[in-house]
Structures are given as C-alpha cells and as structure tokens.
Amino acid sequence: MYQTTYHRASSVDEAVSLFGKSSEAKFLAGGQTLLPVMKQRLAAPSDVIDLGKIKELQGVELSGDVLTIKAATTYYDIMTNADVKKAIPAIAYLTSVLGDPAVRYRGTIGGSIANNDPAADFPAALLALGATVKTNKRSISADDFFKGLFTTALEDGEIITAVSFPVPAKAGYEKMRHPASRFALTGVFVAQTKSGEVRVAATGASQSGVMRVPAIEAALKANWSPSAIDNVTISASGLLADIHGTAEYRANLVKVMAQRAVAAAR
Amino acid sequence: MGVEGIGARVVRKEDKRFITGKGRYVDDIKLTGMTHAHFIRSPHAHAKVKGIDSSAALKMPGVVAVLTGKQLVDDKVGNLICGWAITSKDGSPMKMGAWPAMAPETVRFVGQAVAVVIAESKNLARDAAEAVVVDYEELPAVADMQAAIKAGAPQLHPEAPGNQVYDWVIGDEGATDAAFAKAANVVKLDVTNNRLAPNAMEPRAAIADYDAAEEHFTLYTTSQNPHVARLVLSAFYNIAPEHKLRVIAPDVGGGFGSKIFIYPEEMVALWASKKVGRPVKWTGDRTEAFLTDAHGRDHITHAEMAFDANNKIIGLKVKTYANFGAYMSLFSSSVPTYLYATLLSGQYNIPAIHAEVVGVYTNTTPVDAYRGAGRPEASYLIERLMETAARQLKVDPAELRRSNFITQFPHQTPVIMAYDTGDFNASLDAAMKAIDYAGFPARKAKAKADGKLRGIGVSCYIEACGIAPSKAVGSLGAGVGLWESAEVRVNPVGTIEILTGSHSHGQGHETTFCQLVAERLGIPISQVSIVHGDTDKVQFGMGTYGSRSAAVGLTAILKAMEKMESKAKKIAAHALEASEADIVIENGEFKVTGTDKAIALPMVALAAYTAHNLPDGMEPGLKESAFYDPTNFTFPAGTYICELEVDPGTGKTSFVNFVAADDFGRLINPMIVEGQVHGGLVQGIGQALLEHAIYDANGQPVTASFMDYAMPRADDVPSFNLSHTTTLCPGNPLGIKGCGEAGAIGASAAVINAITDAIGKNTLEMPATPDRVWRTIHAA
Ligand SMILES: Cc1cc2nc3c(=O)[nH]c(=O)nc-3n(C[C@H](O)[C@H](O)[C@H](O)COP(=O)(O)OP(=O)(O)OC[C@H]3O[C@@H](n4cnc5c(N)ncnc54)[C@H](O)[C@@H]3O)c2cc1C
C-alpha cells in the first residue's frame, strides 16, 4: 500500500469538504473493494475519507411502500433487519449469499453500487426493483445510475446517501456463485411491482454490466411462472466468458436463475 | 494402550499455541538491524534481460541495495539443482537447463526474479522496486505442453532440444504388446491431470543473518526439511560450508510438498545478507506464492488396458506427457517417473505394464511434488480406466475391480514395487457397506423423480509411502538417502526430549511422537517434548514428505528408545540388585517382574547423570540416537466411494455422501489420522471440482489470486464418513503405513467417476466445473 492519509468523517458535509480539500481522495465504506485494490498498489489515493461512522448514512427505514437503506449500512445489518425481511425478503436473501461472513460484516450497499462490479449482486436488485439512488446532490433512478463496467452516474466527490426501493408485489433472487470469488457467475433478480409491471435484471452475465432482460420480462408479464420462461432463448452474444463460465453457459444461467428466482419469489 | 499411548485420540499439544495465536512463524521473527527484500519479477513468460537500471531506486528513501542476477552469477552462487537423475530410453541423461536464482540473461516464466531491492522496510523496498527499470526484449513463449513439443515451438533451453527433459520408459514393452495382441477387449482413455497451485496457508518466507566475525550464516525458513536445505545450500550453491550454516524451520504453516524445495529467494537472502552486512527478511505474498511455489500435477496421458474374455486385466500401456514448467525443480524429475509409473498397477493383478513418460519444458512456473506427488496421477488414471472399462464391458465397477484385485502378498508388480501386504477386498467391502452400494439404484431413481442426476463413483487407490529405502532409491537415481534419524535425551530429572529429523508443519508430531514414548514408558505426554526443525539442535535428518514421518521417522525414535531403555534397564537392575532380564517398564517405573521392587524413571535418570553408582564400565548419561533406513516402501491403500447429484440446469455438483475406508496399518492417534484424511480428501475434491492453475497461450498466468483460483471451502465438501480396515505393515516394527497423502490420491477419481455416472457420459476433464459439466450434459 502506498502512503495515504486517513480521515474519519462525522457527517456527509464534512466528508464533502474533506474531499474538496485533498488532491486525490477516495471515500471508504466497508473497504472490501477499495482496501484490497490499495494493498495491491492498483489505487493510490492521497486521502481516504471514511464514511463508515457517519450516523446519517446508517440504518433502514420502511415508510409505507418504500424501503430505504442508508448507504453505509452493512450487508449483515441489511440481512438481519426486520423491515427488510418483511418488505423485500429477496434483498435479505441476496445479502445472505453475498461474499462470506467477513465481507458481509464490513461491505455496504453504497460501496457495492458505487463500485458497480459487473458481477456484484446489489445492482441487479436495484435495477429489477426500479430503485432510486439518493446522493448528497440528487436522486437518480437505477435505470440511469448504472453505466457499464465499474461506471456509474456519480460525479466526482458525490456521495450516495441512501437507496430507496418501492416495495414490490413479489420479488426473488437466485445466483450461481463464482466458484473462486463467490461473486455472481450469474445472478437474476425478478420483481413484479404492485402495479403489475415485471422487471428482471441479470448480473455477472453481460460484458456491459448489470442488464435488464426484456425477453424474460415479456414472458413473465404474460404468465408469472417459471415455465413461462421455458421457451425463451437468451443470446450468448455480448455475454462475459472466462475460465469459470463460457458465454453460452451464462446465457443458460440467465434463464435458469430467472426460473428459480420466480419459483422463490415472495 | 495407555490413556495417552498408541491408539489414543489425544488432543494435539501444539494446538494451544496455534489456536491462541502464539505460533512462531518465520515472519514473526524480527532481528536487530533487519532489512527487507522485495523481488523484481518478470512480467513476461519469456524474455531477454537486456539491462537493469537501478540508479533511481538507489536514491530512494531507505534503500540499502539493489542486487541483480548478474551480480549473483559473478559471485559464483550456484545454479539450482535437481536431486534425482533420470535416464532417457536412449541412455542419455535428463536435459537440465541452467536455473540461476535470479535471471542474469533470460527469464522463462512470469514471476521469475531478475533483481532484489533491500530496504529498511518492506514498503520502502516495494516503492524502490517500482523505480528499477528492467529492459526486457520479449521472446516468443509457449505454455501448452502439446504446443511445446511441436516442431518450430519456441525453445526454452539450449541444453534441451525440442523442450524435452527426458523420454523415459518402464516395464516390459514386448510382454505388454503380446498381451494386447491376444486381448478380448481393449479400453482406451485420454486424461488430463490438471495443474494445481499448492497454496499452503503460510506463504514462503526467509530471514538470512550473516555473522561476519564468525563467517557464519543463520537461515530461518519455511522448510519441510531444514537439513536437506542446509546440505543443498552448502554443497551446491556455495553459500557456506555446512558447519557455518544453521537452518531453522520454526512453526511452518503447511507445506504439501511445496516447502521441500530450496527456492531462489532463500539463496538470495543468504547471499544478500553477507553483501549488505545485515539480516535480510523476505516474506512472500499470495501472488508470489501463485507465481513461484512449485505447482503440482499437470499431465496429459493416453492409456490402454487389455482384458481377456473373463474381464481379467492382461496388460496396460501408458504414455504420459509431464509438464515441468520452465526449470527442473529439486525433485521434479522423480515425480512423473518413479513416484508415478511405479504405481500404475494400482490394486490389480496386471501381468504386463509398459509406460513411457516425456518430460516437457514450458514457459510456466516449475512443477514438483505436491501432496501425493505422482501417485495421485497414477491412481486417477487407473481408477478412471477401471470405471471406463466397467462401462464398456457392462459390468459393475466394484465387481470388475474386485475380480482383478491382488489377493496374495507379497506381490511383485511389473513396475518395480513389491506390495508387502494389504486386504483390498476388506476396504472395498467396508466402503460399499458404509455407502449402501446395493441401495444406490433406488436412490438414483428417486433423485431422477426430483429432477436431479445422481451418480456413484468408486476409487480403489494404492500408494507407496514411507519414503524410502535408501539403497533402492539410490539405484534409481536419487541423490540422497531417505532414512530418518532420532535422538532420545532423558534429562537428569526424568523428563524426555525427542530430537527428530522429521519436521511438523501441520501433521501433529508434537503429539503423536510423544504418544510412542508414553506407550513405552507409561509416562504422561506432558513429560515429553519434541525438538525439530533446527540444524544446530538436531542431528542430520531428512524431513517430512511422502507420508514418511510415522513409518520412518517414528521408527527411528523407536530404535533410539530401545537403546535408551536397554541402558536404563541395566541401571535399574544394578540399583535393584536384580537381573537385567527381569526388568520391565510400567507406569514410569522399572520393576523387577513378579516382585514389588521398583525404581522410578526419574531415579534411574538421576543415577545415570550423578554416576555415583553405575554398573562397572558404564558411561554416564542417558541419551541414545538411531538412524533408521526402511527396507521397503509402505503401501497404504483403500476404497473411496462418492455419491453425488448433478443439477442438470446448472451443471452444479452436490455431494450426498463420501465414504473412505483406508488401510494405514497401525494408527498412533486416530483423531490426527482423520484430520489428515479430511485434508487430503478436500485437496482431492478441490482438484476434481475447483482447482486449476491456468496460463494463457503467451504464458501469462490467469489464476494468480483467490479471485480466480478456486480453493475448496468448507461448504464445497461433504461431511466425510471414515473407517479403517487394518493390515499391519510388516516392513516396520510399529506396523505403520502412513496416512498423509491418501485422501489427495484417491478422492478425485471417485468424484469424476460419480459425476460421469450421473450424467451418463464418460469423458469429463478436471476440474469438473459447473460450466464444463453442463456443456458435457448438453453436448450432442
Ligand atoms: C472476498 C470477497 C468476496 C466478495 N463477494 C461479493 C459478492 O459475492 N457479491 C458482491 O456483490 N460483492 C462481493 N464483494 C465485494 C463487496 O461487496 C464490496 O464490499 C463492495 O464491492 C464494496 O463495498 P464496500 O462498502 O466494501 O466499499 P469500499 O471498498 O469501501 O468502496 C468501494 C468504492 O465505492 C466508493 N464508495 C463507497 N461508499 C460510497 C458512497 N456512499 N458514496 C460514493 N462512493 C462510495 C469508494 O470510494 C470506492 O471507490 C466481495 C468482496 C470480497 C473481498
């Protein structure tokens, strides 16, 4: 790791002002992505501004049909939260299969979506549920937030403060875990909104990051059941291929995970 | 058996310090004035080193020195050696390319060191390393074995035309051809034995400390065999004569073979510590472990097995290509030859075997012994062949094996090994019973109704352990003897120190070795301590690998104990005014048999050291040593059966049951044996399902971190169902065969046999990743 200066911010405003004062600052949340990258000397921030202890970035709120998870809430706290389990159990399940216990105790929803790893789990949930990303400056819909591999709509120095999810009629997530990293080799989140709209998002599959799957959405809109997807064909073109999964295999997984997510949806 | 004697499930003495974080590993050691080394490693698989400019780095804060391969060669530090000479079928010696500890001219794999920065801290050394400019001229590289042996392939070493290390044969070709000529059926199989990265939990590390006044070096290093390290460092690398070099291997966090070898980093640390006049520490990180720890396996094999009309095996032909990587590591030459092809008879009566092994250089990390070393490759091949044969001949795979088992012992195979004893039917029966083999078809049918493909796979392995009778291995080209030594020191107050040439890096010697003493003397193990891993404390010994520490190392302790006990009995008889022949040892006392006359061990020990009243002419003291050279290998064997389900939608495998019935001869501590089996099985399952060290066509490693290289985790493996069937090894007085490698040798075939049974297709390479299994299911 290169030399860096650590700051613990006590408020979002303080974090923003610290960011403005340093040459190449990085926000730090759970550190489960940033710290390994720094240890490998692949990132060299002059300053690290820790968001982890900011009170206003912690916790979960359920108000009417909206579930809001603050940005620095850890996966573990999300997984065990009663409101999450009640309102959108698929999110509690998603966090339970994310990484390993050490990662879940430290990693945060804000860090995950800011990083936008093409195999991360949470981007699929945000996209399928039509969530809204709240920052210190604005609100951004999930459809506009994820911009491809490791790229988001966030501006330099912009801080995610929370994510709000409209509570769906039904939602489910299934993931084939990458055998080494335990990220999603492919994961599919399916959701049926209270107004009957169907949204399906796949992660780990596409070369351009998390994606909607219109063919499956159409099939499920017509008939919300696993068998409705039987005859859908997912093209392998544009899908990721690596030593753990060919593009054809991932295309198959998009379909199979979608079917299982529908079967598990509550 | 006493409460802590042979056969007792004694809790491991060493675990208190390991579990409470009080272990003392190389990296825990900090010497006054210590500097830190960081190696500059080639990013290219094959390149000329045209120049190294360290001028900027030398000006950076905390930098003590930047040393290069050229300086190392100028200082006449010797090239790395290979300690086992193999002769090709044409009579020519193996072709060894020169391997300097840092490359002065040419790098041949990604990660090969070209220079080292010595600085006040690891971080400063890393900072400065980034300022060292190495001018490489890239050369064409070849990582794939089959590509490497083609005409026109990039050539690695001028010494080895065609990238061939050797072309070696074993067995009787004429007899084998004759058997095939009269065969009723021939079964053919192509298999790849995937390359593995060993990944001991503790990365390799070294601290070298040169004392200029004494012209003496001390090396702390992660070694499975510190004396062998000292011998090689002094005899071949011109570091220092043996009496001026002390090698200490303190607590070592796993080896699996990868810490047998003497690596460039410890050589460079020693040389550098003299150059800079201060201690030099190097601790590898995980990436360096992936790039530079010797890898394992990596064979491509075509085999054919001939059967007569009664489904008896009459011949076996094998041709194997073995990847050596870019250089010949210390014991690499023996692994695909004498540790592999000599086990090709498996548990079966095979009258004629012929095997040919071609060693190949590629621009990849060197390959050497890794848990099982050659024997997993042999066992996997034979057990895949038997399964393939059963499918082709349409007979039950367990019954085909049974009808070909060797049942008479001793049994001379056509490939050198003479099996001393065993009962292969007993372990097959035990495993079949444990898994309810007969009930499998019903379970398979039920799983099918649930949409799952269920399979069962048998693997009957045998290995040659207790490595090794020195004369025998010497006649086959080994550069060392493979005996073991031990010393028993009874202290004046009766506590006991056992000094052993074996080295414990996870095996639990500090417990099991004490149990032998407890058994013989009837004293608690708390009164015994085990000293190992320091060439200044322990007499020359050969170290730990090849499941040898109990069969060979513990037998050496037994021999020393017998000498000590004999002297102690004389002292006791003298004190008790009895005949030596009437003295028996019980509960820590020397008793005159049939009487109540006794003298306690501490009193005997005290008498030995006060020497006030010893038998006439007896030397004072109570300390004996012994060297034990085994007369044969030992032959642990057993049956593993795996039952699993494949999800046809994803190709994912889930275990239903995994049973292991092993014959290890006598068990000293069944709990520790079970731990060894568990670990071995997990490594075997890891090879079958998850692990694969992969290079791209240009020799760039694709799997140099745990993000890509899939190590098995607890939830990847089932809860194991273990049992033992026992035939005592006649070759050593304790009847021990060894248990350290069995799991890794036998497990992978059981898994692949079960998956291929489940999916109804016989061709499936390891690792059987979900993607690969799914594609195999759905292939036309
Ligand atoms: C072993 C391992 C396994 C893993 N497995 C999975 C998995 O299965 N699924 C999965 O989805 N992920 C997985 N991860 C990644 C994990 O989820 C990370 O926690 C996540 O990617 C980053 O979250 P973090 O809170 O740790 O962020 P950090 O590492 O602290 O930060 C990551 C990036 O986000 C930025 N950032 C953080 N918070 C904010 C914010 N509030 N506003 C703006 N920018 C911010 C940081 O500046 C940084 O650039 C794994 C990681 C590890 C180490």
Side-chain angles (χ1 to χ4, degrees):
Chain A
M1 196 181 277
Y2 295 103
Q3 201 76 40
T4 189
T5 306
Y6 172 86
H7 309 268
R8 174 175 289 171
S10 53
S11 67
V12 171
D13 287 346
E14 191 194 350
V16 171
S17 100
L18 282 167
F19 192 94
K21 279 187 222 149
S22 43
S23 56
E24 266 186 72
K26 274 269 180 199
F27 296 120
L28 175 73
Q32 296 303 292
T33 294
L34 184 58
L35 294 182
V37 168
M38 287 173 67
K39 283 187 189 167
Q40 287 173 62
R41 297 183 160 226
L42 297 172
S46 62
D47 297 78
V48 166
I49 302 160
D50 191 347
L51 308 177
K53 291 288 182 296
I54 299 177
K55 283 227 165 55
E56 58 198 289
L57 296 182
Q58 291 289 342
V60 175
E61 281 165 16
L62 178 61
S63 133
D65 267 351
V66 178
L67 179 78
T68 300
I69 304 177
K70 308 283 184 61
T73 312
T74 64
Y75 303 131
Y76 178 81
D77 287 343
I78 296 169
M79 182 176 94
T80 51
N81 183 278
D83 286 336
V84 174
K85 289 200 257 184
K86 187 175 92 188
I88 317 181
I91 288 185
Y93 173 74
L94 174 147
T95 44
S96 77
V97 293
L98 192 163
D100 53 39
V103 171
R104 293 196 286 270
Y105 277 121
R106 305 244 18 131
T108 67
I109 184 172
S112 174
I113 61 171
N115 190 48
N116 193 18
D117 189 301
D121 296 293
F122 258 113
L126 268 71
L127 199 55
L129 289 165
T132 303
V133 178
K134 304 270 168 69
T135 76
N136 60 325
K137 295 183 177 161
R138 55 190 169 140
S139 291
I140 311 167
S141 77
D143 288 304
D144 296 331
F145 183 80
F146 299 109
K147 300 276 187 196
L149 304 191
F150 299 103
T151 318
T152 67
L154 286 178
E155 289 162 10
D156 204 28
E158 190 170 2
I159 294 178
I160 302 167
T161 53
V163 181
S164 41
F165 296 93
V167 175
K170 273 180 182 175
Y173 182 64
E174 277 305 324
K175 161 191 190 182
M176 183 70 184
R177 293 203 283 189
H178 182 290
S181 74
R182 300 270 166 120
F183 277 75
L185 195 59
T186 288
V188 177
F189 203 107
V190 298
Q192 193 181 44
T193 64
K194 290 201 164 155
S195 59
E197 197 197 344
V198 173
R199 291 172 65 105
V200 174
T203 186
S206 164
Q207 290 170 11
S208 29
V210 65
M211 63 170 184
R212 299 268 297 268
V213 193
I216 294 180
E217 289 177 349
L220 289 176
K221 174 117 180 126
N223 173 16
W224 178 265
S225 89
S227 61
I229 308 170
D230 282 350
N231 295 323
V232 174
T233 319
I234 304 293
S235 161
S237 99
L239 297 195
L240 289 164
D242 56 31
I243 57 170
H244 294 287
T246 50
E248 293 71 29
Y249 181 61
R250 283 185 161 89
N252 168 66
L253 284 181
V254 170
K255 189 170 151 176
V256 174
M257 291 300 119
Q259 288 177 314
R260 293 180 186 181
V262 172
R266 280 192 286 150
Chain B
M1 170 182 112
V3 280
E4 295 181 327
I6 290 178
R9 307 175 73 91
V10 179
V11 171
R12 301 197 337 160
K13 284 172 87 172
E14 48 270 75
D15 282 348
K16 184 169 177 188
R17 79 172 183 278
F18 294 148
I19 289 169
T20 58
K22 295 288 193 283
R24 189 163 180 263
Y25 298 88
V26 173
D27 193 58
D28 294 323
I29 297 166
K30 291 171 181 65
L31 303 182
T32 313
M34 188 167 78
T35 64
H36 298 264
H38 182 77
F39 285 88
I40 297 168
R41 299 184 183 280
S42 171
H44 306 295
H46 200 188
K48 284 249 171 288
V49 181
K50 297 181 69 181
I52 298 178
D53 180 359
S54 42
S55 51
L58 285 167
K59 291 188 202 111
M60 297 203 26
V63 174
V64 177
V66 179
L67 304 173
T68 65
K70 180 162 182 320
Q71 286 167 283
L72 182 105
V73 172
D74 289 348
D75 281 359
K76 307 222 162 5
V77 174
N79 291 336
L80 277 84
I81 61 152
C82 179
W84 197 309
I86 298 290
T87 306
S88 284
K89 63 181 180 186
D90 65 3
S92 64
M94 61 192 191
K95 311 284 189 295
M96 199 172 158
W99 185 8
M102 294 194 293
E105 280 171 12
T106 309
V107 286
R108 295 184 177 84
F109 67 96
V110 172
Q112 186 174 3
V114 295
V116 64
V117 179
I118 313 287
E120 300 293 343
S121 76
K122 182 79 182 174
N123 228 12
L124 290 170
R126 281 179 150 229
D127 288 346
E130 288 174 12
V132 175
V133 182
V134 185
D135 181 12
Y136 293 101
E137 178 192 325
E138 268 192 83
L139 298 171
V142 60
D144 180 78
M145 252 196 291
Q146 274 153 330
I149 53 173
K150 289 220 174 83
Q155 298 291 298
L156 272 83
H157 298 284
E159 299 89 342
N163 294 320
Q164 189 171 304
V165 180
Y166 51 58
D167 183 351
W168 173 89
V169 289
I170 189 171
D172 186 335
E173 189 168 19
T176 309
D177 284 343
F180 275 80
K182 61 175 192 216
N185 287 293
V186 172
V187 175
K188 300 180 182 180
L189 187 68
D190 289 290
V191 297
T192 301
N193 205 288
N194 42 325
R195 176 186 281 243
L196 305 176
N199 279 315
M201 197 183 298
E202 180 204 20
R204 289 189 295 112
I207 303 173
D209 183 13
Y210 179 65
D211 177 339
E214 301 289 338
E215 295 182 359
H216 180 279
F217 291 89
T218 304
L219 174 67
Y220 301 85
T221 186
T222 47
S223 175
Q224 300 178 214
N225 33 222
H227 282 93
V228 176
R230 189 184 66 168
L231 168 67
V232 172
L233 286 163
S234 62
F236 299 98
Y237 301 155
N238 298 328
I239 301 286
E242 276 174 296
H243 66 299
K244 294 289 187 184
L245 173 58
R246 175 182 184 185
V247 178
I248 301 172
D251 282 332
V252 173
F256 312 110
S258 71
K259 292 172 182 167
I260 297 173
F261 326 117
I262 291 81
Y263 285 90
E265 289 83 2
E266 49 261 30
M267 293 166 62
V268 170
L270 284 162
W271 168 71
S273 86
K274 183 171 178 183
K275 276 202 117 54
V276 305
R278 292 170 61 183
V280 174
K281 176 190 250 185
W282 171 75
T283 302
D285 63 21
R286 187 56 61 187
T287 308
E288 289 180 297
F290 274 108
L291 296 180
T292 67
D293 289 5
H295 288 175
R297 321 275 191 258
D298 208 348
H299 286 191
I300 295 175
T301 297
H302 175 76
E304 301 189 5
M305 196 177 248
F307 287 84
D308 71 10
N310 298 318
N311 293 338
K312 296 275 192 221
I313 309 167
I314 54 173
L316 173 67
K317 273 189 209 171
V318 173
K319 171 126 190 207
T320 292
Y321 292 91
N323 197 341
F324 273 69
Y327 298 97
M328 294 183 77
S329 174
L330 190 62
F331 289 110
S332 57
S333 55
S334 65
V335 176
T337 50
Y338 291 112
L339 293 176
Y340 164 68
T342 55
L343 271 306
L344 286 173
S345 197
Q347 297 190 356
Y348 312 108
N349 212 328
I350 309 183
I353 299 178
H354 184 257
E356 176 173 4
V357 180
V358 177
V360 183
Y361 284 117
T362 59
N363 292 109
T364 60
T365 297
V367 178
D368 205 328
Y370 168 63
R371 199 171 194 172
R375 291 152 294 165
E377 296 90 315
S379 188
Y380 181 71
L381 176 66
I382 296 306
E383 291 308 294
R384 285 292 293 131
L385 259 176
M386 290 306 278
E387 202 69 27
T388 306
R391 288 169 192 171
Q392 190 174 318
L393 303 173
K394 300 203 168 18
V395 290
D396 178 79
E399 289 317 310
L400 181 69
R401 287 174 170 88
R402 189 189 297 283
S403 67
N404 282 285
F405 275 162
I406 295 162
T407 52
Q408 303 290 317
F409 296 92
H411 173 89
Q412 177 64 54
T413 72
V415 278
I416 298 178
M417 290 298 171
Y419 300 164
D420 52 5
T421 187
D423 186 345
F424 305 148
N425 277 308
S427 43
L428 178 62
D429 287 341
M432 287 171 74
K433 183 155 181 268
I435 205 151
D436 182 20
Y437 192 81
F440 175 74
R443 298 195 295 277
K444 186 179 176 86
K446 184 169 179 306
K448 194 172 175 197
D450 298 338
K452 292 289 166 62
L453 306 172
R454 194 175 276 222
I456 197 162
V458 178
S459 168
C460 298
Y461 75 91
I462 187 163
E463 45 173 335
C465 294
I467 288 175
S470 300
K471 195 173 165 187
V473 294
S475 73
L476 303 177
V480 288
L482 288 167
W483 44 265
E484 193 48 272
S485 76
E487 191 176 309
V488 176
R489 291 184 187 167
V490 183
N491 295 319
V493 288
T495 58
I496 295 182
E497 283 160 42
I498 302 287
L499 295 87
T500 169
S502 300
H503 186 276
S504 190
H505 34 276
Q507 293 85 346
H509 296 171
E510 288 170 51
T511 306
T512 46
F513 289 5
C514 292
Q515 287 182 252
L516 173 72
V517 180
E519 173 80 18
R520 296 192 64 87
L521 303 181
I523 60 173
I525 61 170
S526 60
Q527 292 187 25
V528 188
S529 68
I530 304 298
V531 180
H532 69 104
D534 183 340
T535 59
D536 263 15
K537 290 184 182 165
V538 182
Q539 74 290 7
F540 197 93
M542 291 307 299
T544 288
Y545 37 84
S547 305
R548 69 193 303 273
S549 295
V552 187
L554 195 59
T555 306
I557 296 174
L558 173 70
K559 299 282 177 192
M561 284 290 291
E562 284 170 353
K563 290 187 196 173
M564 180 281 289
E565 288 163 18
S566 161
K567 180 170 181 181
K569 281 183 180 172
K570 288 194 178 76
I571 298 170
H574 183 73
L576 297 169
E577 296 177 341
S579 157
E580 190 192 329
D582 292 338
I583 303 289
V584 291
I585 308 174
E586 270 171 27
N587 298 324
E589 287 186 332
F590 292 72
K591 290 186 179 152
V592 182
T593 181
T595 74
D596 58 1
K597 286 209 291 181
I599 176 170
L601 171 67
M603 298 313 291
V604 174
L606 197 60
Y609 287 95
T610 58
H612 295 163
N613 185 19
L614 291 178
D616 282 346
M618 179 183 275
E619 283 178 19
L622 196 50
K623 176 196 92 110
E624 297 289 347
S625 75
F627 282 62
Y628 171 71
D629 198 1
T631 52
N632 192 359
F633 292 86
T634 65
F635 297 94
T639 295
Y640 296 160
I641 307 183
C642 165
E643 185 169 330
L644 48 73
E645 279 181 359
V646 174
D647 177 341
T650 61
K652 192 170 163 44
T653 296
S654 314
F655 288 98
V656 177
N657 201 353
F658 198 113
V659 305
D662 294 294
D663 179 357
F664 296 139
R666 192 182 310 285
L667 309 183
I668 306 296
N669 182 326
M671 182 195 74
I672 288 180
V673 169
E674 285 163 13
Q676 289 287 315
V677 176
H678 281 210
L681 290 174
V682 172
Q683 278 172 307
I685 290 171
Q687 170 162 33
L689 294 182
L690 297 160
E691 297 184 52
H692 196 183
I694 300 175
Y695 290 84
D696 73 12
N698 298 319
Q700 287 294 329
V702 178
T703 47
S705 89
F706 286 136
M707 292 302 274
D708 302 299
Y709 188 92
M711 285 292 278
R713 293 161 160 96
D715 66 353
D716 288 316
V717 296
S719 187
F720 299 110
N721 176 343
L722 308 188
S723 65
H724 300 280
T725 60
T726 301
T727 58
L728 293 180
C729 176
N732 61 66
L734 293 165
I736 291 170
K737 297 187 181 183
C739 66
E741 296 160 293
I745 290 171
S748 43
V751 175
I752 299 298
N753 287 342
I755 298 176
T756 50
D757 178 51
I759 65 177
K761 300 211 173 158
N762 194 51
T763 305
L764 178 69
E765 297 293 9
M766 298 191 290
T769 60
D771 177 19
R772 203 171 249 173
V773 173
W774 177 81
R775 280 185 285 128
T776 307
I777 294 172
H778 297 281

